[in-house]
Amino acid sequence: MSAEHVYRVASSGWLHCHGHQVEEVPAWPRLTHSALVVLDMDDVYTDVWRFEGKTEYAAALVEKRVRTQGLVEGAAHVVVHRLVKLPGGFQVFFSAISLDLWQRCTQWAKEQDDHCLVMMASGLLCDGVASGSARVVLSQRRLMCFVQSEEGMVFGSTQALGSGPSAMASAAQVLTSNHSTLLMRLGAEAVEWCTLWSTQPADVDTCLAAVRSVVGGAPVIMHAQEMTLAAERVHTVMPTLARKAAGRHALNPSLERVAWRAERWVAPITVVTALVGIVLAIVGVLVGQLADQQRNAGMNQRAELEALQSRIQAVSLVEAPGKLLPVAEFSRTLDEGARHDPVAFMAVLKAASNKDIRIQRVRLETTSSLGSAQPGKKAFRVDGVVAPGASASVTRWVSQMAAAGWTLRAVDPTFTLPGSFSYELVANAAAPGNVKP
């Protein structure tokens, strides 16, 4: 069911389609609503022609030939439905209508209070037909075919000469025979059938049977609405095709077509905007709840941290009992002795000394200078001699002892031999190389 107001303008008169109803109306009515007007007239000349030259002059070239051949009575206006460029030229699918009718249609459409788009049945015929496909359309007693192939465009049309079923069958036989090779090559799945306007179901069945016999199967059938016209039943796809083709094939200026299309977008955009607003509101609530949860978690962690700091501070203020002081002093002494274990120190000293260094004496002393260690600290004094010309060995020895966890301070040599050196070594706390395992 279409909510559009669609007007069919035929040689027999004007028909207004809305919902499931069709009614006859006077010609050129005054409209109070937006409308789609389809010119479905038998006296409009439609065809596909080929020209050489530029596509910009297509309408002028067609108009000149139409006027020369007298295909339209009086002055004509050419409506170009589709252009296809080909090697050496182009093809044009067009309709030529009386200039008087064209001018009256455009003027009447401008005088309406709401959007009024005028289009031709030939534009509906080719709209949406892709390359390698075809569309066959029945409009009352006229059968039309449009094909778009790699070679170009093909158009055919026949009119049933009479009111009986045999006349319709003859017309369908003529059209399908003229294009049987092309339709057969496309196949049934590439051919679409449309009942543009028909009050005779028998005519639809007759034409469909002719198409099926050529394409070798049932074509794709566009669903037709059933409407009521007085006591008759009308089957038509005109509202659906007109709504799809209005933006491209309306004869109105482009600004009017854009305005009509924009009006159709208002409702969908409103719905989408409302949905987006609802989604954003839900996301805002969820984000707010998540922020509250994060804030509460942070406050809980801060409270736990403050409680832990209070406990640490309380523990740090507790003084050790007097009875534990001798034990603590004894423990400190043991730690001091472990760090200055002579056996472990001699092992490290031996590992760091190479053949160029001869250790003369090692003593464990209590430092009294203020240079490198605090007074009262234990330190090893090492006296040695380096071989002549091997002063670099002393540098390596100092580096190795420092790496083993000792802080070295050079002192005046005890011996006066050439190459003599003396160092004071203080153990670093928790150094891996100065604790006896």
Side-chain angles (χ1 to χ4, degrees):
M1 176 177 174
S2 173
E4 298 285 352
H5 292 271
V6 179
Y7 289 82
R8 177 177 183 260
V9 181
S11 301
S12 57
W14 287 54
L15 297 173
H16 174 213
C17 308
H18 183 64
H20 291 298
Q21 299 296 320
V22 181
E23 60 177 350
E24 296 183 3
V25 295
W28 315 110
R30 185 68 180 182
L31 304 181
T32 59
H33 47 251
S34 64
L36 302 176
V37 181
V38 180
L39 302 180
D40 188 16
M41 309 177 77
D42 298 335
D43 55 353
V44 174
Y45 184 80
T46 302
D47 206 348
V48 172
W49 285 350
R50 177 166 182 167
F51 294 93
E52 295 181 355
K54 296 182 179 181
T55 58
E56 291 82 355
Y57 308 117
L61 293 172
V62 172
E63 193 274 333
K64 180 179 179 181
R65 183 183 294 185
V66 168
R67 185 178 66 254
T68 301
Q69 298 181 4
L71 299 175
V72 176
E73 185 177 353
H77 176 79
V78 175
V79 178
V80 176
H81 303 302
R82 181 175 289 194
L83 273 171
V84 175
K85 292 184 178 180
L86 297 174
F90 61 90
Q91 273 188 317
V92 55
F93 178 45
F94 69 93
S95 294
I97 64 175
S98 167
L99 182 61
D100 293 338
L101 177 60
W102 160 261
Q103 291 176 342
R104 188 167 187 183
C105 283
T106 55
Q107 183 62 32
W108 171 78
K110 290 180 181 179
E111 293 173 352
Q112 304 310 309
D113 297 332
D114 208 336
H115 303 298
C116 182
L117 301 188
V118 181
M119 63 200 80
M120 305 191 69
S122 305
L124 274 59
L125 172 64
C126 69
D127 182 66
V129 178
S131 180
S133 58
R135 178 177 287 163
V136 182
V137 170
L138 175 65
S139 179
Q140 282 293 65
R141 308 284 287 174
R142 181 168 52 127
L143 190 63
M144 298 179 290
C145 175
F146 178 81
V147 181
Q148 177 78 59
S149 65
E150 295 180 356
E151 292 80 10
M153 297 180 291
V154 176
F155 170 76
S157 176
T158 58
Q159 182 79 32
L161 302 176
S163 58
S166 59
M168 191 74 255
S170 299
Q173 182 65 32
V174 170
L175 182 71
T176 54
S177 298
N178 290 342
H179 307 289
S180 59
T181 302
L182 185 55
L183 293 175
M184 189 180 302
R185 188 179 68 187
L186 293 177
E189 65 280 357
V191 178
E192 184 180 37
W193 168 266
C194 300
T195 304
L196 187 64
W197 192 274
S198 178
T199 57
Q200 300 294 331
D203 292 348
V204 178
D205 296 337
T206 299
C207 295
L208 265 176
V211 173
R212 278 196 297 265
S213 65
V214 171
V215 300
V220 179
I221 300 176
M222 179 179 287
H223 175 71
Q225 296 178 234
E226 184 175 304
M227 298 184 175
T228 303
L229 172 60
E232 293 183 318
R233 293 288 182 180
V234 178
H235 293 85
T236 178
V237 297
M238 184 176 289
T240 302
L241 284 180
R243 188 166 55 252
K244 292 181 179 179
R248 291 180 293 273
H249 292 276
L251 309 182
N252 306 64
S254 58
L255 185 61
E256 296 181 15
R257 285 180 285 165
V258 171
W260 175 85
R261 182 172 291 180
E263 189 176 84
R264 267 65 191 163
W265 289 342
V266 170
I269 290 176
T270 302
V271 174
V272 171
T273 303
L275 292 177
V276 171
I278 294 174
V279 171
L280 291 178
I282 294 174
V283 171
V285 172
L286 295 178
V287 170
Q289 293 178 350
L290 182 60
D292 291 340
Q293 294 176 0
Q294 294 291 340
R295 190 181 304 109
N296 294 334
M299 293 176 64
N300 294 334
Q301 292 178 356
R302 188 178 299 110
E304 293 178 0
L305 181 59
E306 291 176 353
L308 183 59
Q309 290 177 343
S310 299
R311 294 172 59 186
I312 293 174
Q313 187 176 5
V315 171
S316 63
L317 295 176
V318 177
E319 295 183 358
K323 295 182 179 181
L324 294 180
L325 293 179
V327 177
E329 181 64 21
F330 179 69
S331 175
R332 186 189 64 78
T333 304
L334 288 178
D335 178 69
E336 185 77 14
R339 287 195 292 158
H340 294 84
D341 181 10
V343 176
F345 178 77
M346 293 302 294
V348 173
L349 186 62
K350 180 179 180 181
S353 302
N354 57 19
K355 62 181 182 178
D356 294 328
I357 294 177
R358 184 171 72 255
I359 303 301
Q360 301 283 40
R361 184 175 62 181
V362 177
R363 292 186 300 174
L364 181 60
E365 299 178 345
T366 300
T367 61
S368 58
S369 64
L370 299 176
S372 63
Q374 298 179 358
K377 291 292 184 180
K378 296 291 186 179
F380 282 105
R381 181 186 177 92
V382 177
D383 301 314
V385 178
V386 64
S391 59
S393 297
V394 177
T395 303
R396 286 195 298 269
W397 177 80
V398 170
S399 299
Q400 292 179 9
M401 293 302 294
W406 296 90
T407 299
L408 288 82
R409 185 175 68 91
V411 295
D412 295 333
T414 303
F415 302 101
T416 58
L417 297 175
S420 297
F421 64 87
S422 296
Y423 280 92
E424 189 179 79
L425 289 81
V426 179
N428 298 330
N434 55 21
V435 178
K436 183 180 180 179

